[in-house]
Amino acid sequence: MEKVIDDGGLGRFRALIAAAQRIVVCGHVNPDGDAVGSALALQHWLQRQGKECTVVLPNTFPDFLLWMPGAKDVKAYRRHEAEVAPIIEQADLFVIADLNSPSRLMDIETLVMANPAPKVMIDHHMSPADFCDVTISHPEMCATAEVLCHLFWQLGELQQLAEAEAVCLYAGMMCDTGAFTYASTRAVIYECVSHLLARGIDKDRIYRNVYYTASLARLRLQGYMLYVNLRMRKNLHAAVMTLTNAERRRFGVKNGDTEGLVNMPLQISGTRLSIFLTEDTELEGLVKVSLRSVDDFPCNKMAEEFFGGGGHLNASGGKLYCSMDEALKVVDRALQKYAPLLKGQV
Ligand code: 5GP
Ligand code: MN
Protein backbone atom coordinates (compact mmCIF):
# COMPACT_ATOMS: atom_id res chain seq x y z
CA MET A 1 0.00 0.00 0.00
CA GLU A 2 1.09 3.62 -0.51
CA LYS A 3 1.16 6.75 1.64
CA VAL A 4 -1.26 9.33 0.22
CA ILE A 5 -0.49 12.07 2.76
CA ASP A 6 2.53 12.94 4.91
CA ASP A 7 2.41 12.39 8.65
CA GLY A 8 1.71 16.06 9.39
CA GLY A 9 -1.23 16.05 6.98
CA LEU A 10 -2.55 12.81 8.44
CA GLY A 11 -2.44 14.40 11.90
CA ARG A 12 -4.37 17.43 10.62
CA PHE A 13 -6.93 15.12 8.96
CA ARG A 14 -7.43 13.16 12.20
CA ALA A 15 -7.79 16.38 14.20
CA LEU A 16 -10.38 17.83 11.78
CA ILE A 17 -12.46 14.64 12.02
CA ALA A 18 -12.13 14.53 15.80
CA ALA A 19 -13.29 18.15 16.16
CA ALA A 20 -16.27 17.81 13.78
CA GLN A 21 -19.75 16.61 14.62
CA ARG A 22 -21.89 17.39 11.56
CA ILE A 23 -19.97 16.37 8.47
CA VAL A 24 -21.13 16.78 4.88
CA VAL A 25 -19.52 14.64 2.19
CA CYS A 26 -19.87 16.17 -1.30
CA GLY A 27 -19.30 14.81 -4.79
CA HIS A 28 -19.36 16.22 -8.30
CA VAL A 29 -22.26 17.09 -10.59
CA ASN A 30 -23.58 14.13 -12.61
CA PRO A 31 -22.14 11.75 -10.02
CA ASP A 32 -20.62 8.50 -11.27
CA GLY A 33 -19.90 5.22 -9.49
CA ASP A 34 -16.64 6.49 -8.01
CA ALA A 35 -18.20 9.73 -6.74
CA VAL A 36 -21.13 7.91 -5.12
CA GLY A 37 -19.07 4.92 -3.91
CA SER A 38 -16.34 7.08 -2.37
CA ALA A 39 -18.85 9.41 -0.71
CA LEU A 40 -20.86 6.52 0.75
CA ALA A 41 -17.75 4.68 1.99
CA LEU A 42 -16.71 7.88 3.78
CA GLN A 43 -20.19 8.35 5.21
CA HIS A 44 -20.39 4.81 6.60
CA TRP A 45 -16.94 5.11 8.11
CA LEU A 46 -17.59 8.56 9.63
CA GLN A 47 -20.90 7.39 11.08
CA ARG A 48 -19.06 4.48 12.64
CA GLN A 49 -16.79 7.06 14.31
CA GLY A 50 -19.92 8.50 15.95
CA LYS A 51 -20.30 11.45 13.55
CA GLU A 52 -23.45 12.80 12.02
CA CYS A 53 -22.76 12.59 8.30
CA THR A 54 -24.79 13.33 5.18
CA VAL A 55 -23.85 12.78 1.54
CA VAL A 56 -24.91 15.80 -0.53
CA LEU A 57 -24.61 15.77 -4.32
CA PRO A 58 -25.49 18.58 -6.76
CA ASN A 59 -27.96 16.39 -8.70
CA THR A 60 -29.14 12.80 -8.89
CA PHE A 61 -27.00 9.80 -9.82
CA PRO A 62 -27.94 7.00 -12.26
CA ASP A 63 -30.42 4.34 -11.07
CA PHE A 64 -27.85 1.55 -11.52
CA LEU A 65 -26.07 2.86 -8.40
CA LEU A 66 -29.18 2.75 -6.20
CA TRP A 67 -28.27 -0.70 -4.81
CA MET A 68 -25.23 0.70 -3.00
CA PRO A 69 -25.55 0.60 0.79
CA GLY A 70 -26.85 4.01 1.88
CA ALA A 71 -27.58 5.24 -1.66
CA LYS A 72 -31.24 5.92 -0.94
CA ASP A 73 -30.35 8.42 1.80
CA VAL A 74 -28.10 10.53 -0.45
CA LYS A 75 -29.38 14.10 -0.78
CA ALA A 76 -29.48 15.51 -4.29
CA TYR A 77 -29.61 19.30 -4.02
CA ARG A 78 -31.39 19.99 -7.30
CA ARG A 79 -35.16 19.73 -6.75
CA HIS A 80 -34.73 19.41 -2.93
CA GLU A 81 -33.08 22.76 -2.29
CA ALA A 82 -35.13 23.72 0.78
CA GLU A 83 -34.33 20.46 2.55
CA VAL A 84 -30.66 20.29 1.63
CA ALA A 85 -29.52 23.93 2.01
CA PRO A 86 -29.69 23.92 5.87
CA ILE A 87 -27.64 20.69 5.98
CA ILE A 88 -24.85 22.43 4.06
CA GLU A 89 -25.18 25.63 6.09
CA GLN A 90 -24.94 23.77 9.41
CA ALA A 91 -22.01 21.49 8.49
CA ASP A 92 -18.87 21.89 10.62
CA LEU A 93 -16.63 19.93 8.20
CA PHE A 94 -16.76 19.16 4.48
CA VAL A 95 -15.13 16.16 2.88
CA ILE A 96 -15.05 16.80 -0.84
CA ALA A 97 -14.56 13.59 -2.79
CA ASP A 98 -13.76 12.88 -6.46
CA LEU A 99 -13.51 16.49 -7.64
CA ASN A 100 -10.68 18.98 -7.97
CA SER A 101 -12.32 22.39 -8.21
CA PRO A 102 -15.29 24.15 -6.55
CA SER A 103 -16.95 24.63 -9.96
CA ARG A 104 -17.51 20.85 -10.15
CA LEU A 105 -19.87 21.26 -7.17
CA MET A 106 -22.11 23.17 -9.59
CA ASP A 107 -25.44 23.91 -7.82
CA ILE A 108 -23.99 23.59 -4.31
CA GLU A 109 -20.73 25.49 -4.98
CA THR A 110 -21.98 28.81 -3.56
CA LEU A 111 -23.45 27.28 -0.39
CA VAL A 112 -20.44 25.07 0.34
CA MET A 113 -17.93 27.86 -0.27
CA ALA A 114 -19.99 30.31 1.83
CA ASN A 115 -19.67 28.02 4.87
CA PRO A 116 -16.27 28.75 6.52
CA ALA A 117 -16.08 25.23 8.01
CA PRO A 118 -12.83 23.37 7.20
CA LYS A 119 -12.66 21.36 3.99
CA VAL A 120 -10.79 18.19 3.06
CA MET A 121 -10.34 17.16 -0.58
CA ILE A 122 -9.84 13.50 -1.47
CA ASP A 123 -9.45 13.10 -5.22
CA HIS A 124 -7.60 11.69 -8.22
CA HIS A 125 -8.16 14.39 -10.88
CA MET A 126 -5.22 16.40 -12.20
CA SER A 127 -4.44 19.97 -11.12
CA PRO A 128 -6.32 20.22 -7.81
CA ALA A 129 -7.44 23.77 -6.98
CA ASP A 130 -6.18 25.19 -3.71
CA PHE A 131 -9.38 25.67 -1.69
CA CYS A 132 -9.20 23.01 1.01
CA ASP A 133 -7.47 22.85 4.40
CA VAL A 134 -6.22 19.33 3.67
CA THR A 135 -5.76 18.18 0.07
CA ILE A 136 -5.20 14.49 -0.65
CA SER A 137 -4.88 14.38 -4.44
CA HIS A 138 -3.42 11.49 -6.44
CA PRO A 139 -3.93 11.62 -10.23
CA GLU A 140 -1.86 8.47 -10.67
CA MET A 141 -4.56 6.50 -8.84
CA CYS A 142 -7.41 4.82 -10.71
CA ALA A 143 -10.23 6.19 -8.54
CA THR A 144 -10.93 8.31 -5.51
CA ALA A 145 -11.96 5.01 -3.94
CA GLU A 146 -8.37 3.82 -4.41
CA VAL A 147 -7.04 6.96 -2.69
CA LEU A 148 -9.42 6.15 0.18
CA CYS A 149 -8.12 2.57 0.45
CA HIS A 150 -4.60 3.92 0.95
CA LEU A 151 -5.83 6.58 3.37
CA PHE A 152 -7.67 3.96 5.45
CA TRP A 153 -4.51 1.85 5.40
CA GLN A 154 -2.52 4.82 6.72
CA LEU A 155 -5.13 5.33 9.42
CA GLY A 156 -4.83 1.66 10.40
CA GLU A 157 -8.47 1.15 9.41
CA LEU A 158 -8.24 -0.86 6.18
CA GLN A 159 -8.33 -4.25 7.88
CA GLN A 160 -11.26 -3.19 10.08
CA LEU A 161 -13.55 -1.79 7.36
CA ALA A 162 -17.22 -2.71 7.57
CA GLU A 163 -18.48 -4.75 4.62
CA ALA A 164 -20.63 -1.84 3.37
CA GLU A 165 -17.56 0.40 3.29
CA ALA A 166 -15.56 -2.22 1.35
CA VAL A 167 -18.46 -2.73 -1.09
CA CYS A 168 -18.65 1.02 -1.85
CA LEU A 169 -14.87 1.31 -2.32
CA TYR A 170 -14.74 -1.70 -4.64
CA ALA A 171 -17.67 -0.35 -6.67
CA GLY A 172 -15.91 3.03 -7.00
CA MET A 173 -12.71 1.47 -8.32
CA MET A 174 -14.61 -0.91 -10.59
CA CYS A 175 -16.69 1.88 -12.15
CA ASP A 176 -13.73 4.20 -12.84
CA THR A 177 -11.72 1.42 -14.53
CA GLY A 178 -14.46 -0.21 -16.63
CA ALA A 179 -14.30 -3.22 -14.29
CA PHE A 180 -10.49 -3.10 -14.27
CA THR A 181 -10.09 -2.98 -18.05
CA TYR A 182 -8.48 0.50 -18.32
CA ALA A 183 -6.42 2.85 -16.14
CA SER A 184 -5.81 -0.13 -13.87
CA THR A 185 -2.36 -1.57 -14.55
CA ARG A 186 -0.67 -0.50 -11.29
CA ALA A 187 -0.08 -3.61 -9.18
CA VAL A 188 -1.05 -1.87 -5.95
CA ILE A 189 -4.66 -1.57 -7.19
CA TYR A 190 -4.98 -5.32 -6.70
CA GLU A 191 -3.46 -5.05 -3.25
CA CYS A 192 -6.38 -2.73 -2.45
CA VAL A 193 -8.81 -5.20 -4.01
CA SER A 194 -7.28 -8.02 -1.99
CA HIS A 195 -7.87 -6.09 1.25
CA LEU A 196 -11.47 -5.35 0.23
CA LEU A 197 -12.14 -9.00 -0.63
CA ALA A 198 -10.85 -9.92 2.81
CA ARG A 199 -13.68 -7.81 4.26
CA GLY A 200 -16.18 -10.27 2.79
CA ILE A 201 -17.41 -8.46 -0.34
CA ASP A 202 -18.92 -10.40 -3.24
CA LYS A 203 -17.21 -8.73 -6.21
CA ASP A 204 -19.13 -10.73 -8.81
CA ARG A 205 -22.43 -9.57 -7.35
CA ILE A 206 -21.17 -5.95 -7.37
CA TYR A 207 -20.32 -6.38 -11.07
CA ARG A 208 -23.79 -7.71 -11.85
CA ASN A 209 -25.45 -4.94 -9.80
CA VAL A 210 -23.74 -2.33 -11.96
CA TYR A 211 -23.51 -3.88 -15.43
CA TYR A 212 -26.27 -6.50 -15.64
CA THR A 213 -29.33 -4.58 -14.49
CA ALA A 214 -30.22 -2.80 -17.73
CA SER A 215 -33.79 -2.23 -18.87
CA LEU A 216 -35.02 -3.42 -22.25
CA ALA A 217 -35.20 0.27 -23.22
CA ARG A 218 -31.48 0.68 -22.53
CA LEU A 219 -30.51 -2.30 -24.68
CA ARG A 220 -32.76 -1.12 -27.52
CA LEU A 221 -31.23 2.35 -27.22
CA GLN A 222 -27.74 0.87 -27.53
CA GLY A 223 -28.75 -0.98 -30.67
CA TYR A 224 -30.23 2.17 -32.18
CA MET A 225 -27.24 4.30 -31.26
CA LEU A 226 -24.75 1.89 -32.82
CA TYR A 227 -26.86 1.25 -35.92
CA VAL A 228 -28.13 4.73 -36.69
CA ASN A 229 -26.25 7.42 -34.76
CA LEU A 230 -22.66 6.22 -34.82
CA ARG A 231 -20.47 7.92 -37.38
CA MET A 232 -16.99 6.54 -37.90
CA ARG A 233 -14.18 8.84 -39.04
CA LYS A 234 -12.11 5.93 -40.15
CA ASN A 235 -9.10 7.82 -41.44
CA LEU A 236 -8.91 9.56 -38.06
CA HIS A 237 -9.53 6.41 -35.97
CA ALA A 238 -12.36 8.32 -34.33
CA ALA A 239 -16.04 7.75 -33.63
CA VAL A 240 -18.78 10.35 -33.07
CA MET A 241 -22.21 9.57 -31.60
CA THR A 242 -25.12 11.91 -30.88
CA LEU A 243 -28.30 11.69 -28.83
CA THR A 244 -31.06 14.28 -28.95
CA ASN A 245 -33.85 14.83 -26.44
CA ALA A 246 -36.39 13.80 -29.11
CA GLU A 247 -34.62 10.44 -29.31
CA ARG A 248 -34.55 10.19 -25.51
CA ARG A 249 -38.33 10.56 -25.47
CA ARG A 250 -38.80 8.09 -28.32
CA PHE A 251 -36.85 5.36 -26.50
CA GLY A 252 -38.03 6.23 -22.99
CA VAL A 253 -34.42 6.86 -21.95
CA LYS A 254 -34.03 7.15 -18.19
CA ASN A 255 -31.35 8.64 -16.01
CA GLY A 256 -28.27 6.43 -16.42
CA ASP A 257 -29.37 4.67 -19.60
CA THR A 258 -26.70 6.52 -21.57
CA GLU A 259 -23.90 5.58 -19.16
CA GLY A 260 -21.12 3.69 -20.90
CA LEU A 261 -22.41 4.33 -24.43
CA VAL A 262 -19.38 6.52 -25.15
CA ASN A 263 -17.07 3.55 -24.54
CA MET A 264 -18.74 1.22 -27.02
CA PRO A 265 -17.14 2.48 -30.28
CA LEU A 266 -13.71 1.84 -28.75
CA GLN A 267 -14.50 -1.87 -29.23
CA ILE A 268 -14.04 -1.33 -32.97
CA SER A 269 -10.54 -2.37 -33.96
CA GLY A 270 -8.18 0.59 -34.39
CA THR A 271 -10.46 3.21 -32.82
CA ARG A 272 -8.50 5.65 -30.68
CA LEU A 273 -11.08 8.27 -29.78
CA SER A 274 -14.82 8.24 -29.13
CA ILE A 275 -16.87 11.43 -28.78
CA PHE A 276 -20.45 11.39 -27.52
CA LEU A 277 -22.69 14.44 -27.77
CA THR A 278 -25.96 14.58 -25.90
CA GLU A 279 -28.52 17.35 -25.48
CA ASP A 280 -28.89 18.24 -21.80
CA THR A 281 -32.23 17.06 -20.43
CA GLU A 282 -32.70 20.11 -18.22
CA LEU A 283 -31.09 23.06 -19.95
CA GLU A 284 -32.12 23.80 -23.51
CA GLY A 285 -29.25 24.85 -25.77
CA LEU A 286 -26.65 22.88 -23.83
CA VAL A 287 -24.85 19.94 -25.42
CA LYS A 288 -22.81 17.74 -23.11
CA VAL A 289 -19.65 16.22 -24.55
CA SER A 290 -17.99 13.00 -23.39
CA LEU A 291 -14.63 11.83 -24.69
CA ARG A 292 -12.90 8.47 -24.29
CA SER A 293 -9.60 7.38 -25.80
CA VAL A 294 -7.09 4.57 -25.68
CA ASP A 295 -3.31 4.68 -25.26
CA ASP A 296 -1.84 8.15 -24.99
CA PHE A 297 -4.40 10.25 -26.89
CA PRO A 298 -5.08 13.22 -24.55
CA CYS A 299 -8.85 13.58 -24.29
CA ASN A 300 -8.41 16.16 -21.54
CA LYS A 301 -6.40 18.50 -23.82
CA MET A 302 -9.06 18.28 -26.52
CA ALA A 303 -11.80 18.81 -23.91
CA GLU A 304 -10.05 21.90 -22.55
CA GLU A 305 -9.31 23.38 -25.95
CA PHE A 306 -12.63 22.77 -27.70
CA PHE A 307 -15.32 21.84 -25.18
CA GLY A 308 -14.70 24.07 -22.16
CA GLY A 309 -14.00 21.06 -19.97
CA GLY A 310 -11.24 18.71 -18.91
CA GLY A 311 -10.71 15.43 -17.12
CA HIS A 312 -8.36 12.50 -17.37
CA LEU A 313 -6.05 11.48 -20.24
CA ASN A 314 -8.45 8.76 -21.45
CA ALA A 315 -11.79 10.03 -20.09
CA SER A 316 -12.88 13.64 -20.25
CA GLY A 317 -15.92 15.80 -20.72
CA GLY A 318 -17.14 19.29 -21.36
CA LYS A 319 -20.09 21.27 -22.62
CA LEU A 320 -21.10 23.49 -25.51
CA TYR A 321 -23.83 26.10 -25.37
CA CYS A 322 -25.22 25.66 -28.87
CA SER A 323 -27.37 23.40 -31.05
CA MET A 324 -26.37 19.82 -31.86
CA ASP A 325 -25.53 20.86 -35.46
CA GLU A 326 -23.21 23.58 -34.24
CA ALA A 327 -21.67 21.18 -31.71
CA LEU A 328 -20.89 18.74 -34.52
CA LYS A 329 -19.03 21.54 -36.32
CA VAL A 330 -16.90 22.12 -33.20
CA VAL A 331 -16.19 18.37 -33.13
CA ASP A 332 -15.06 18.57 -36.77
CA ARG A 333 -12.66 21.38 -35.93
CA ALA A 334 -11.30 19.46 -32.93
CA LEU A 335 -10.76 16.33 -35.04
CA GLN A 336 -8.96 18.36 -37.72
CA LYS A 337 -6.68 19.97 -35.15
CA TYR A 338 -5.82 16.62 -33.59
CA ALA A 339 -5.68 14.70 -36.90
CA PRO A 340 -1.89 14.21 -36.77
CA LEU A 341 -2.09 12.61 -33.31
CA LEU A 342 -5.15 10.54 -34.23
CA LYS A 343 -3.53 9.25 -37.39
CA GLY A 344 -0.56 8.20 -35.30
CA GLN A 345 1.96 10.67 -36.68
CA VAL A 346 4.05 12.74 -34.30
P1 5GP B 1 -18.18 11.94 -18.46
O1 5GP B 1 -17.89 11.73 -19.89
O2 5GP B 1 -18.38 10.64 -17.75
O3 5GP B 1 -19.26 12.95 -18.22
O4 5GP B 1 -16.89 12.59 -17.82
C1 5GP B 1 -15.67 11.92 -17.80
C2 5GP B 1 -14.67 12.70 -16.97
O5 5GP B 1 -14.43 13.96 -17.60
C3 5GP B 1 -15.15 13.06 -15.58
O6 5GP B 1 -14.78 12.07 -14.65
C4 5GP B 1 -14.43 14.36 -15.30
O7 5GP B 1 -13.14 14.10 -14.87
C5 5GP B 1 -14.31 15.00 -16.67
N1 5GP B 1 -15.34 16.01 -16.96
C6 5GP B 1 -16.60 15.81 -17.43
N2 5GP B 1 -17.24 16.97 -17.65
C7 5GP B 1 -16.36 17.95 -17.31
C8 5GP B 1 -16.43 19.37 -17.32
O8 5GP B 1 -17.44 20.00 -17.70
N3 5GP B 1 -15.32 20.03 -16.89
C9 5GP B 1 -14.20 19.37 -16.48
N4 5GP B 1 -13.13 20.10 -16.07
N5 5GP B 1 -14.10 18.04 -16.48
C10 5GP B 1 -15.15 17.33 -16.87
MN1 MN C 1 -13.31 9.22 -10.06
Side-chain angles (χ1 to χ4, degrees), residues 310-333:
H312 311 275
L313 183 76
N314 293 133
S316 303
K319 33 191 149 350
L320 294 169
Y321 294 91
C322 62
S323 67
M324 187 60 91
D325 282 347
E326 287 166 288
L328 280 167
K329 287 183 192 144
V330 180
V331 168
D332 270 337
R333 287 203 294 277

Side-chain angles (χ1 to χ4, degrees), residues 104 125 290 292 309-312 315-319:
R104 298 281 291 150
H125 293 89
S290 283
R292 298 291 185 274
H312 311 275
S316 303
K319 33 191 149 350

Side-chain angles (χ1 to χ4, degrees), residues 160-200:
Q160 270 92 257
L161 289 183
E163 189 182 339
E165 292 152 17
V167 163
C168 293
L169 291 174
Y170 183 83
M173 290 170 70
M174 186 188 79
C175 288
D176 259 18
T177 58
F180 303 97
T181 59
Y182 49 79
S184 50
T185 48
R186 294 163 64 251
V188 74
I189 292 171
Y190 302 92
E191 232 179 286
C192 296
V193 169
S194 170
H195 281 288
L196 298 177
L197 288 170
R199 303 311 302 145

